[in-house]
Amino acid sequence: MADSPSLVEVRAQRASEPTFRAGTVADIPGFRALGEAVVPSTYGPIDAAYAQRMLDEWWVPEVFETSLARNTHLVAEVDGEVVAMANLGRVSRSYRDFPYVTGDREVMWKLYVHPDHQGRGIGRRLLAGIEALVEGDELWLEVVDGNAQAYDFYRAQGFEEVERVDGGPWPDDVWMRKELPMDRAR
Ligand SMILES: CC(C)(COP(=O)(O)OP(=O)(O)OC[C@H]1O[C@@H](n2cnc3c(N)ncnc32)[C@H](O)[C@@H]1OP(=O)(O)O)[C@@H](O)C(=O)NCCC(=O)NCCS
């Protein structure tokens, strides 16, 4: 007879499949916890001060409140915990200035999967959810120069690099774009 499963195996068996839903202000503490888990490991090796600045300036409740009012957020949840999020908005509704951008881009501003849940298809499924919300025929995003994991993931998902923007004292931003068929399922 097979041995009884260990506690670790029982926990693994119980780890539920992710569920996907729209994000709300009730998720703000979950977004912050996700940021604390994923931002340092993602950006620390590129520029530790930049990783800290991101957490201090952009992963804070006030910025999420503004973002939730202007952008659409999608959340992946496992056992009641936010393990990933993505959002979609427009350059024209951003609180940041983009003097070099012509036209109004639909932008996925964030796509973040908790390190413990990466490689399980959650990022791909959130991206598909965002693509389904795009009104036009192209989706844009910015990736920090040096974030090879994300850059390679986006390339594999059909994005192409369009331009690099000088970040001054901070890492450069790389804009990427994906063309979407107008007759796609939504
Ligand atoms: C980049 C990220 C969003 C990808 O999400 P993920 O859930 O780990 O990726 P998935 O499991 O959905 O991978 C989907 C597919 O992409 C592939 N993929 C994942 N990472 C890849 C990489 N670095 N290079 C090439 N392909 C990659 C997977 O093999 C998989 O292929 P398949 O569908 O053929 O099996 C996630 O790893 C992450 O949050 N990274 C840290 C934060 C970050 O950098 N976010 C982006 C900010 S711009």
Side-chain angles (χ1 to χ4, degrees), residues 38 42-43 111-114 117-125 141-144 147-150 152-154 156-157:
V38 73
T42 302
Y43 300 107
L111 172 60
Y112 286 88
V113 181
H114 190 291
H117 296 270
Q118 290 175 10
R120 297 177 58 196
I122 294 176
R124 178 173 40 74
R125 280 180 277 175
L141 59 85
E142 290 173 297
V143 60
V144 171
N147 185 357
Q149 181 201 22
D152 292 347
F153 166 80
Y154 291 134
Q157 300 297 320

Side-chain angles (χ1 to χ4, degrees), residues 42-161:
T42 302
Y43 300 107
I46 302 169
D47 183 334
Y50 193 50
Q52 191 60 49
R53 180 186 174 213
M54 280 184 167
L55 280 178
D56 293 346
E57 293 188 16
W58 301 325
W59 288 77
V60 292
E62 313 81 74
V63 171
F64 281 120
E65 277 165 26
T66 306
S67 179
L68 283 156
R70 297 182 185 188
N71 305 312
T72 303
H73 291 63
L74 298 181
V75 167
E77 208 174 44
V78 171
D79 297 333
E81 192 181 323
V82 172
V83 299
M85 60 87 74
N87 65 10
L88 174 72
R90 287 180 178 271
V91 160
S92 59
R93 291 180 60 77
S94 173
Y95 60 92
R96 289 164 60 200
D97 280 335
F98 297 91
Y100 50 86
V101 169
T102 51
D104 194 12
R105 295 176 180 174
E106 289 180 87
V107 185
M108 184 171 69
W109 297 114
K110 279 187 169 67
L111 172 60
Y112 286 88
V113 181
H114 190 291
D116 292 348
H117 296 270
Q118 290 175 10
R120 297 177 58 196
I122 294 176
R124 178 173 40 74
R125 280 180 277 175
L126 277 177
L127 173 60
I130 292 290
E131 288 180 8
L133 296 169
V134 171
E135 292 174 352
D137 58 0
E138 52 185 35
L139 174 62
W140 291 80
L141 59 85
E142 290 173 297
V143 60
V144 171
D145 188 27
N147 185 357
Q149 181 201 22
Y151 185 90
D152 292 347
F153 166 80
Y154 291 134
R155 291 275 301 154
Q157 300 297 320
F159 286 83
E160 290 187 0
E161 179 176 334

